[in-house]
Structure formats: C-alpha cells, structure tokens
Amino acid sequence: MALDSHGKREFKQIGTRVARPDGIDKVTGRALYGADMSAPGMLVGRILRSPHAHARILRIDTSEAEAIPGVKAVVTGADFSIPDDAALADISVNVMARTKALYDGHAVAAVAATSAQAAKAALKAIKVEYEVLPHVTDVDAAMAPDAPVVQKGRSLESVPAGMGANVTHHCEFGHGDLEAGFARADKIVERSFKTAATHQGYIEPHACLATMNGDGRADLWCCTQGQYMVRTVCAGVLGIEASQLRVTASEIGGGFGGKTTVFIEPVALMLAKKSGKPVKIVMTRDEVFKATGPTVSTSIDVKIGMTKAGRITAGAATLRYSGGAFPNTTVDMGAQAAFAAYDLDAVRTVGWNILTNRPKESAYRAPGAPQAIYAVESVVDELCLALNLDPLDVRILNAARKGTKSSYGPTFDDIGLLATLEAAKAHPHYNTPLKPGQSRGVSCGFWFNFGGNTCVSLNINTDGTVGVTEGNPDIGGSRASISLMAAEELGVPYDKVRTIIADTASLGYNDVTDGSRVTFAVGLATIKAARDAIKKMCGRVAKIWGIDEDAVEWRDGAAHPAGPNAGKFPPMTLEEIAAISFETGGPIAGHYEVNADGAGVSFGVHLCDLEVDKETGQTTILRYTVFQDAGKAVHPDYVEGQMQGGAVQGIGWALNEEYIYGADGRLLNAGFLDYRIPVASDLPKIDTQILEIPNPGHPYGVRGVGETGIVPPLAAVSNAVSRAIDVRMHELPMSPPRVLKAIKAARG
Amino acid sequence: MSAITVSTTVNGDAVDFICQPDESLLDALRGRLGLTGAKEGCGTGDCGACSVTVNGRLVCSCLMLAAEAEGAEIGTVEGIAKGNALHPLQQSFLDHAGLQCGVCTPGILVAAKALLDRNPDPTDEEVRYWLAGNLCRCTGYDKIIRAVQSAAAQMRSA
Amino acid sequence: MVKVLLWGSLRTHTDGQAEVEVEARTFKEVLDRLAEAYPGLRPQIERGVSMAIDGRIYREAWFTEIKPDSEVVVMPYMTGG
Ligand code: FES
Ligand code: FES
C-alpha cells in the first residue's frame, strides 16, 4: 500500500457534488444555531456598554439594578481577575472593561434576569460614573506623538525608541537592493492609500447559553469557530480547569474569522455562576457592530518601479494598521503578503500597529492581506496604464512561480499563480470587448493557508457504516467534504459515512476553524484516521486468513491478498469485517492526531467589469469572474461557494462597507441599514473557474480555499473604477460620495 | 404591563400563546412557540432572516408585534415542507448549494416561496430585487438565484 | 550549521545580520540556539514564530528535521480567519 503517495490519483468520490448531511435540517428550520437553544429556568443576560470612546470608569453602582424584581445577578469588571497571559488578559479586559472604557460599546457591566423586560430595566438602573478622556479613532492621527494615549506601556520590543505610545508593533520584511532596483526602473509610482475598517458581517449575532453548577462544573453552548478555543479562553479568564468546562459548538451562522475569539461567553458563565441558573446571552446587531471584531483600518504607502517592458524592478510599502484598542500583529501578515504574487529582486515592506479607540480587531478572512494587496495592485495597475501595458501580461511577466524567493522569505514550491493568470487571460471574460462607459479591473490575491492542531476519530460500525468525529464547526459544508474523504479512502459509499462535530469533552483538541484549514487539515487527519482503521482491518483479515499482515492490501472497500504469493482468498469487504469485529478482537476505530503543516499557499485572480454613473458616483458591477487554485476541489459546489462569497465580501469592502466614527468617537452606523453589505440586487452572477494544481502537502492535493477570495476584489474593483472615471482612487470604500468627489476634484 | 393572549394559526395549526404587549412576533414564535427556524439577524427590519408570511403577506417578524397576529394565519419555514417531503425550493437549495452556513436560509426560503406564489416565472433581475431585503453573507447570492430559478422551472413544469 | 533567515525587524537583535548560522537539526533546536546566541530575539520567540523549512511553513513543530542545506526562514506566528 503506497499510503503516502500523492500526485495523480483517480478519485471515485472526491470532486462529486454530494448532498450535505446537515442540509435538510437547514432548509426546514430545524438546525440549532447559537440563539436557538434553551434550558429550563434560564435567565436572559444583557450587557451594558460604554457610550464613550474613551473614559475612565470611576464608579459603578449596581444596587438599584439588583433590587429590580426578577434580576438574579449583576456583574462588572470587579468580578473578573486579570489572567497572567497577555493575550488572555486582553480578551478578559475586552469582554468586561476594568478601569477604562476603551471604545464606544466596550462592555462595563452585565445582568441576568427572568425576563427581557427586567434585564432591560436593570441595565437602565446601573449607574456608571465616567471621566471622559480624549480619544483617537484615526490610524494616522493615533500615530502622532501627541495623540491621546489609548493604553500605556503596550509597545513590543520590536518598536524602536521614540515612537508614540500608541505604536505597539513594528515589522520589516524583504530582500535585495531597493535603491538599485528603483534606479533601473523606467517609471516609478508612489501612492498613499487608506482602507476603512469593515465587519465580517455574519448574519448570526453571537449567542451562548451557559450553566455553572455549585461544584464548578460548567457547560457552554455557543456559536463559535472553535469550541476548544472557547474552552481555553473561558477557563483562563474565569480561572477554572479545562475539564470542568464542556463547550458545545452550535450550528454557526457565519464567522469569517469573527468567531475565533470570545465576547459574551465568559460573561454568561460568570452570570450563571453568580445566579446559579442557566444564562443565555444573545447580542443585538448594534452590539455586534460596536463590540465585536472589525478588521484593521489602514493607511498604506506603496512605491513600485517598472521597466518599459513591464518588469517590476523594486517594490516598497509602509503599512500602518490599527486593530483598535488592543495590541495585535496583523500587520505582519499584510507586510508579508503585500508583494507575494511577484518575483522580485528588491522588495521591502515595513509595518506598524497603532492603538485607536475602536473595538478590538478580530480576524476576517485572510486577515491583513486584502488591504496590503489592494494598495500594491492599485499601483501595479497605474503603472500598466502609464506604460500602456496589458495588466494580465504584466502580472504573468512578474508572477511568482516555483523557485521564486517570496517577498516574505521562503522559496515557493508548486504554486498556482501562473496557471491562474493564464486561465484568466484565456477566459472569454477577458476577451470580451468593453462597451463605451464600461471598464475592467484585474487583481491578484494571495493567502498563506494553515494546517494546525487536529484530532479525528473514525469508528467502523458493526453494520459496515462509518462515523467520523471531528472537532471543527462546519461553517460552509465541511462535514460533506470530510465524509467524502473518509468514503474515498475507505472505499465505501458517501452515504455510509456520517460526520459529526464533537464537544470539547468528546475529542482531543482542535484549532479553530480558521486559516482555510479545515478541508486541508481535518481532511488530512480523516484520511490518516481511515488508514489507521484500514490497517487494523487488514490485521484482522490477516489473522482470519492466517497470513502476514503485510500480505493483505486494501482496495475498493475490501481487504485483498496482496499478490499471488499471499494465497488465494476471496476479498473481505469492510461490511464483512465490521460484522465480525466483536469476534476478531473488538470494535474497530481509527484515530489520528497531528499538528498539520504543508497547507500550501493559495493564489487567485479576479476580473471585474463595471460602470460608474458620473452624476451620482454609483458603481454597478456588470460582470465578475474568480479564478482560484484549489489544489483539489473536494466538493466543487462549496469551493465555488467560498470563491463567490469571498468575492462579494470584497466587493462590499471596495464599494460600501466602512466603520464611520463621529467627532465624539462614537460609531455612527452600527446597523445593516447604514453599514451596507451587498444585497442580491447589487450584484451580477459571480462566475468561477477552479484550477487544480495539487498541493504536495496533502494526500489528495487539497489546498484551503476559504480566504484568498476576499483579497483581489478590493483592487479589481478599484482599478476598474479608476479606469472608468480616469482618476486613480486611493481610498476604500469607494462609496458614491467619495467617487463623486474624486471626479469633481479631477475636473478642477 | 400585563400579558396578552393571542389566537393564531401557525403553519395551518391553531395556536394560542400569551405575550408581552411590546414583544415582537419573532420573539413569540421563537420563545413562546419554540419555532426557532426564523432567525434574528438584526431586529430592525434590515436582514430578512426573520421573514414569515402573515395572511399571505411577506413580513419581517421582528418588526411586527406578536399581539398584532391575533386571528392571523402565519407561515414560517417550518411549514414549507409537507412532513418529510421537501418543497421544490428546499430541494433546489440543497441541490444547488444555495446555502453555506444556512442562517439566512429560512428567511430566504419563505421570501422566495412568497415570490413564486405570486410570480411563477420571474427573471433573474426580479428574483434579485425581491430578495434584496434578505441578506446572505456567505454565498454571494449566485447559487441562491440559481436555486430559486431552478425550483421555479420545476414548479412550472409540475 | 544551518543558515537561518530572519525577517527585517529582528535584525536589530542580531547586529544587523539578516542571515545567521546556528548548529541545529530540528525546528526546536533552531529556536533554542537563536535565543541563546541572540537574547534580544527571546521575547519574539516566546510569543511564537512560524518557520518555513524548504518552502513549507510550520508552526510549533519541534521535531521537524532540518538538513544542513535546508532553507530556513523564521516568520511571524501565522494566524488566519
Ligand atoms: S431580524 Fe428581522 S429583518 Fe433582521
Ligand atoms: S448561507 Fe450564511 S448567511 Fe447565507
């Protein structure tokens, strides 16, 4: 058995569009999401939030609230201790403010009551005395030496002396001689860009249901991208042992990175502890916007030199990111990803993270990359226009490929960028002439992809069916993909396999569903767990046949004698082996535990046709095509779905979505009416072309596909808009007023 | 505030419940009747996740008071299938991967059914405008539109 | 000895060298030797780093083998969404 071979392999089930196991529950309304669970006698939990962008909390008086009939518990920051671990401490302070409210919407107290009405009245009755402090919400303003200080003493050792107190992190990447590179250029373009903070915008608000008994045993049901992460963080914040807290992940109504941390869960647990009753907290949409993770807001300078023939001679970028009131290092990812698509002799990126009085950043699909790549791809487009070069030809000429020393250091192995660009060039979309008033934008995108800690159990049931237990919430069809991989490896039909997602007490640790890791890493672990089970089944059969274990091989769902020398035995199917498993040594199961690596980077190219109404500044997308390397598409429907969903989130980012702060530092648009995510009538069809350049790090060649799709739209749309109005746009989103302003400014 | 008794029909069955005067129909459906298929994505009428029909009219149940449902016929996602037989729209959403996370799906199915009940042969444009009040953050809408159109075609030929 | 490439801002802790040599055969040994030879790197290493070994990115993989001619690049700890 060549178990570790990859490369060309004939798949029987991988790549088919099977029905998803959770499908019927989800179209009939039966699936249980975060807010759909109840417990007998449960209380309603609500959170009081700071109305100030920055304020010292002088006093909190909860006595009146506690006296309201039906109010069973009130908690404030005083109920929580601060964990030693810096990351945990930040989460703890973010879920409940201690001495200062750091942004509009920062939690300052919480109540649990027998009814929503009583909880609401209790929130009103809590008296918080604030001393309002000067605030700063703009990343560039916050970097200035005299800016209001959001948090003191948070700078990492990476920050050179002399920077303002809000600067917490500094990084630098690249190689080669920039000066020499720019000296060789025929044309150099240098531009500054700004991108607004955007929200993941999952339709399901955060929700959880917590119980904590007098003996310290706690249960938590919540919508999360990672139940083990929730357990670790809540146990750390509350100072309880992991084994005492069982976390069950509900069905999840979208996350996109925003549910890779906790907001309400420790608060619900604390309320449950204090009240002795189950407590359910469901966020309002207003709270989701104000207090859960938006992306970083950014300010970026890019300088690129190009020869007349279109070869990039040098690229440099300075990135200033703010992830709100707490330190983060997302700029590392942006600074590494900025020039990843290009094969460059000289490249340098410098990154800074700066604190502002905004909510704590959470990951959002390819965190940090869309902004950086938007800025770089915008300048590349401007150079193509200036030098009269075809934007795809230029990208093909400069594309990173196998053997390229990447802008972030390592040398690339097999990557799909060139094939993706060539597919775009050959596609009818690119070759359709534009009508007057229409324009076309192009952009590349990139994401690293991750593997990570993964644990899978696979049980062979006595009737020949298979149960897979994995630990990653299914955010977009992953149970189907995992079942497919188990079925393929075992050689049994897909519908014989049922995959479930375990709670934290039932399976070993799994990293959160992030970094496009699930189909890759959980898939890998599932395949290996299947192989483990196969090995055991072959062992049983070897004993039955009285031959060597090595003389038995697994093919098409059955054990066969490995060759003529092994003897003549009729094959034994999985079903037959399972049926007699009690007689041959007991239940059969396969396991695999791994910290997976080799995820394989992912590239995409997007084409966008649009027109701009020059009177209103309104942009209409007319045609959109996504090209992306999936390594191997396990379930093409959901690969396409990831590509389309990512593209549309990126289009929203490019055109409409932004956190808008007033002069008082309050968020002005904390609702879907004013924070406008794309709706069906805003969009055309989103066409997709999946490329399959196998990832050498996965037995079936799979690459993660979840994140790359959000990266290219920012520049693809911006480049098209800039070409349509003949003005280079350098700020996102390109909302109609901003586009109009640019048109007017150019007219003079 | 004293509670109000409301008599309605939900998915064809007569149902009585009590509610607070300021309670939304969505909260009553979810909290009092255990019909958690309709979701609250915003509570302000902007996302459509709470879509239900009231006397055949498509409404955001988060914007309607439960007390206003007195005597009304309410349709929710739980009533779309007949027993285990899925409605063509439900089957089509499964066949065309018209859902990823699925949290928008109940509202979209209710809304799409209301559309096809009125207009069995809509254009893509009409489907897109009809569903403009139903936010989906996962799919980019492409497969949703395909799913609706395929169901419509199937229902026309049935 | 293996050559280890560091990202730019770490160079302040290695007297400006972008590439340093350490005696190491595994992921863990690289980090241990780096922290010993350049104590300024210790806080970053303790917070977490990734390492690309021959083009493949690893996070927390102590026993991953490194050949003397392997390309080793220390990278920030990678997180996704
Ligand atoms: S919850 Fe009713 S429209 Fe959003
Ligand atoms: S499928 Fe997730 S919001 Fe529509």
Side-chain angles (χ1 to χ4, degrees):
Chain A
M1 257 185 306
L3 284 187
D4 277 311
S5 63
H6 14 77
K8 277 258 170 283
R9 161 168 182 162
E10 290 296 322
F11 292 110
K12 295 206 167 71
Q13 303 189 66
I14 299 295
T16 60
R17 299 176 189 244
V18 293
R20 61 194 274 174
D22 52 327
I24 291 179
D25 284 348
K26 287 184 174 165
V27 297
T28 54
R30 268 175 226 152
L32 295 175
Y33 292 82
D36 298 339
M37 187 60 93
S38 300
M42 83 186 172
L43 304 175
V44 178
R46 290 288 306 270
I47 294 174
L48 182 70
R49 298 181 180 280
S50 165
H52 304 294
H54 195 192
R56 205 174 307 287
I57 299 169
L58 301 175
R59 229 174 322 280
I60 305 182
D61 180 358
T62 61
S63 54
E64 256 179 60
E66 280 161 57
I68 292 175
V71 173
K72 302 291 180 189
V74 181
V75 301
T76 67
D79 291 287
F80 295 85
S81 55
I82 302 229
D84 294 334
D85 178 87
L88 272 184
D90 279 348
I91 294 175
S92 174
V93 171
N94 189 43
V95 302
M96 195 55 71
R98 305 303 204 281
T99 54
K100 283 209 295 183
L102 294 167
Y103 55 90
D104 170 24
H106 197 166
V108 294
V111 303
T114 49
S115 70
Q117 285 78 9
K120 202 167 144 193
L123 287 192
K124 276 216 178 107
I126 296 174
K127 297 207 168 49
V128 187
E129 206 180 310
Y130 294 101
E131 176 199 338
V132 177
L133 301 170
H135 67 271
V136 60
T137 53
D138 176 76
V139 56
D140 291 319
M143 202 169 177
D146 57 347
V149 176
V150 178
Q151 287 199 61
K152 273 208 193 81
R154 299 307 308 269
S155 302
L156 294 175
E157 78 292 342
S158 58
V159 178
M163 300 303 295
N166 291 327
V167 179
T168 61
H169 181 53
H170 163 70
C171 62
E172 198 184 310
F173 300 89
H175 58 256
D177 185 342
L178 273 188
E179 257 179 61
F182 284 121
R184 278 192 288 123
D186 294 312
K187 172 97 188 151
I188 295 171
V189 169
E190 192 170 1
R191 286 270 174 266
S192 295
F193 300 87
K194 273 198 134 164
T195 68
T198 55
H199 195 275
Q200 297 82 354
Y202 31 80
I203 305 302
E204 180 199 29
H206 299 262
C208 69
L209 172 60
T211 56
M212 194 184 284
N213 298 338
D215 62 2
R217 243 172 261 262
D219 273 279
L220 185 65
W221 158 275
C222 61
C223 56
T224 177
Q225 288 175 246
Q227 60 273 42
Y228 299 89
M229 170 281 298
V230 172
R231 180 182 67 176
T232 307
V233 174
C234 289
V237 166
L238 296 168
I240 57 177
E241 287 171 358
S243 64
Q244 298 300 315
L245 174 59
R246 182 176 67 152
V247 183
T248 307
S250 69
E251 291 296 337
I252 177 171
F256 316 109
K259 291 175 183 167
T260 58
T261 182
V262 304
F263 299 101
I264 51 175
E265 292 82 354
V267 180
L269 282 163
M270 188 59 86
L271 287 167
K273 182 179 174 187
K274 269 194 142 177
S275 64
K277 304 221 179 219
V279 174
K280 177 157 146 183
I281 299 184
V282 180
M283 272 192 172
T284 63
R285 180 55 57 180
D286 179 78
E287 288 181 284
V288 171
F289 275 114
K290 282 188 178 150
T292 72
T295 61
V296 290
S297 55
T298 77
S299 157
I300 301 170
D301 311 324
V302 171
K303 180 179 176 187
I304 298 176
M306 197 179 268
T307 66
K308 278 197 201 98
R311 187 75 175 102
I312 299 175
T313 59
T318 301
L319 306 98
R320 294 166 294 272
Y321 283 21
S322 177
F326 296 87
N328 71 67
T329 55
T330 301
V331 73
D332 281 343
M333 308 305 285
Q336 291 180 93
F339 286 98
Y342 297 111
D343 176 14
L344 302 176
D345 290 336
V347 55
R348 180 153 70 239
T349 55
V350 176
W352 301 95
N353 183 68
I354 300 120
L355 300 181
T356 51
N357 293 110
R358 289 172 176 245
K360 186 177 194 295
E361 180 223 11
S362 300
Y364 181 22
R365 250 182 166 144
Q371 301 93 328
I373 290 175
Y374 149 70
V376 167
E377 289 293 276
S378 294
V379 173
V380 170
D381 192 62
E382 190 171 346
L383 282 161
C384 292
L385 269 177
L387 297 168
N388 201 16
L389 297 166
D390 177 273
L392 273 180
D393 285 343
V394 165
R395 286 172 174 87
I396 289 170
L397 180 68
N398 292 286
R401 57 203 80 195
K402 186 172 179 155
T404 294
K405 182 181 173 61
S406 67
S407 58
Y408 55 91
T411 304
F412 282 127
D413 195 345
D414 281 324
I415 54 172
L417 176 58
L418 207 53
T420 313
L421 285 163
E422 274 157 4
K425 181 113 204 269
H427 194 273
H429 182 165
Y430 200 64
N431 297 297
T432 305
L434 291 164
K435 299 206 182 85
Q438 301 181 345
S439 67
R440 180 168 293 149
V442 173
S443 176
C444 295
F446 162 84
W447 184 244
F448 297 92
N449 291 337
F450 305 120
N453 292 294
T454 310
C455 185
V456 168
S457 275
L458 182 149
N459 293 302
I460 308 289
N461 303 321
T462 48
D463 64 352
T465 59
V466 178
V468 178
T469 307
E470 52 123 331
N472 277 98
D474 177 350
I475 212 156
S478 62
R479 269 167 293 196
S481 303
I482 300 306
S483 293
L484 265 175
M485 286 188 260
E488 179 80 38
E489 195 61 31
L490 293 167
V492 299
Y494 166 77
D495 55 15
K496 295 258 187 253
V497 183
R498 179 162 185 176
T499 298
I500 64 129
I501 293 150
D503 63 60
T504 55
S506 317
L507 185 71
Y509 181 88
N510 282 271
D511 281 343
V512 292
T513 298
D514 81 344
S516 303
R517 70 174 220 94
V518 173
T519 311
F520 168 75
V522 181
L524 178 119
T526 302
I527 293 165
K528 301 273 185 151
R531 289 175 185 179
D532 186 34
I534 287 171
K535 195 162 183 306
K536 288 170 185 162
M537 289 190 283
C538 288
R540 301 279 173 96
V541 170
K543 280 197 186 143
I544 293 169
W545 290 342
I547 62 174
D548 231 34
E549 219 174 284
D550 294 347
V552 182
E553 70 174 13
W554 192 261
R555 231 182 315 124
D556 300 332
H560 297 255
N565 296 339
K568 261 204 173 349
F569 302 99
M572 278 188 82
T573 64
L574 181 141
E575 210 172 326
E576 291 165 338
I577 300 165
I580 52 167
S581 59
F582 294 176
E583 288 78 7
T584 60
I588 298 169
H591 300 277
Y592 198 72
E593 300 85 28
V594 66
N595 187 353
D597 49 60
V601 298
S602 158
F603 287 93
V605 175
H606 291 198
L607 300 180
C608 171
D609 293 0
L610 53 74
E611 59 194 10
V612 177
D613 182 329
K614 300 205 173 70
E615 304 306 313
T616 62
Q618 175 79 34
T619 299
T620 307
I621 310 263
L622 302 167
R623 184 169 186 182
Y624 204 96
T625 311
V626 179
F627 304 83
Q628 194 173 316
D629 170 20
K632 174 73 204 166
V634 176
H635 194 307
D637 275 346
Y638 295 110
V639 172
E640 290 162 6
Q642 289 295 323
M643 292 159 71
Q644 292 169 328
V648 168
Q649 284 184 322
I651 291 171
W653 199 334
L655 290 178
N656 290 310
E657 296 179 32
E658 67 181 311
Y659 267 49
I660 303 171
Y661 282 93
D664 56 2
R666 290 185 186 159
L667 184 61
L668 295 176
N669 59 336
F672 278 138
L673 189 61
D674 300 313
Y675 182 98
R676 201 173 171 289
I677 73 172
V679 303
S681 54
D682 293 340
L683 297 160
K685 286 195 173 100
I686 307 292
D687 287 324
T688 55
Q689 187 175 337
I690 302 172
L691 287 98
E692 296 191 325
I693 292 96
N695 168 19
H698 186 279
Y700 295 174
V702 169
R703 285 176 208 272
V705 294
E707 288 171 289
T708 305
I710 201 173
V711 179
L714 282 60
V717 176
S718 181
N719 291 342
V721 169
S722 301
R723 285 170 182 252
I725 62 173
D726 215 8
V727 186
R728 180 55 48 181
M729 297 300 290
H730 43 74
E731 191 168 354
L732 296 185
M734 295 173 291
S735 51
R738 210 166 263 154
V739 172
L740 262 192
K741 213 170 118 197
I743 295 173
K744 289 213 177 102
R747 281 190 194 140
Chain B
M1 281 194 292
S2 54
I4 300 171
T5 308
V6 180
S7 300
T8 60
T9 306
V10 178
N11 299 326
D13 296 323
V15 174
D16 295 340
F17 61 86
I18 56 162
C19 64
Q20 293 293 322
D22 63 348
E23 189 169 326
S24 70
L25 175 60
L26 176 63
D27 282 345
L29 287 171
R30 291 176 52 83
R32 312 263 176 196
L33 303 180
L35 292 171
T36 56
K39 307 296 178 199
E40 179 164 323
C42 67
T44 52
D46 300 315
C47 77
C50 63
S51 299
V52 300
T53 55
V54 176
N55 297 327
R57 207 164 52 87
L58 183 65
V59 302
C60 290
S61 60
C62 70
L63 291 184
M64 180 170 158
L65 289 176
E68 292 177 285
E70 174 64 34
E73 279 194 35
I74 297 166
T76 73
V77 68
E78 287 93 344
I80 294 183
K82 295 288 161 259
N84 276 333
L86 296 182
H87 185 277
L89 267 167
Q90 292 172 311
Q91 189 58 49
S92 183
F93 268 66
L94 296 180
D95 294 343
H96 292 86
L99 59 146
Q100 280 177 35
C101 80
V103 81
C104 66
T105 311
I108 290 187
L109 285 170
V110 169
K113 182 167 175 294
L115 168 65
L116 298 188
D117 286 347
R118 278 169 187 71
N119 178 359
D121 191 8
T123 63
D124 278 8
E125 186 92 350
E126 284 169 331
V127 178
R128 284 183 181 274
Y129 275 93
W130 182 269
L131 293 180
N134 290 84
L135 300 181
C136 172
R137 191 59 157 171
C138 298
T139 63
Y141 304 104
D142 189 279
K143 291 183 189 293
I144 290 176
I145 308 303
R146 284 172 211 258
V148 173
Q149 291 293 37
S150 152
Q154 205 198 322
M155 286 162 71
R156 284 195 303 274
S157 65
Chain C
M1 294 293 249
V2 288
K3 286 199 188 99
V4 180
L5 186 70
L6 302 168
W7 78 84
S9 32
L10 293 187
R11 294 169 197 170
T12 45
H13 309 293
T14 58
D15 312 319
Q17 298 172 79
E19 200 166 58
V20 298
E21 290 206 12
V22 294
E23 191 66 65
R25 282 156 307 162
T26 64
F27 180 105
K28 177 76 159 54
E29 286 176 11
V30 168
L31 297 185
D32 287 351
R33 296 299 93 78
L34 281 176
E36 282 160 22
Y38 307 99
L41 295 177
R42 201 175 281 276
Q44 177 66 51
I45 290 173
E46 281 171 3
R47 277 198 302 278
V49 291
S50 310
M51 200 184 292
I53 302 169
D54 295 321
R56 198 188 251 221
I57 301 172
Y58 296 82
R59 302 189 289 188
E60 308 136 336
W62 279 12
F63 312 123
T64 305
E65 240 187 278
I66 293 173
K67 295 190 241 46
D69 60 343
S70 286
E71 177 196 70
V72 178
V73 183
V74 174
M75 298 168 65
Y77 190 79
M78 312 289 261
T79 50

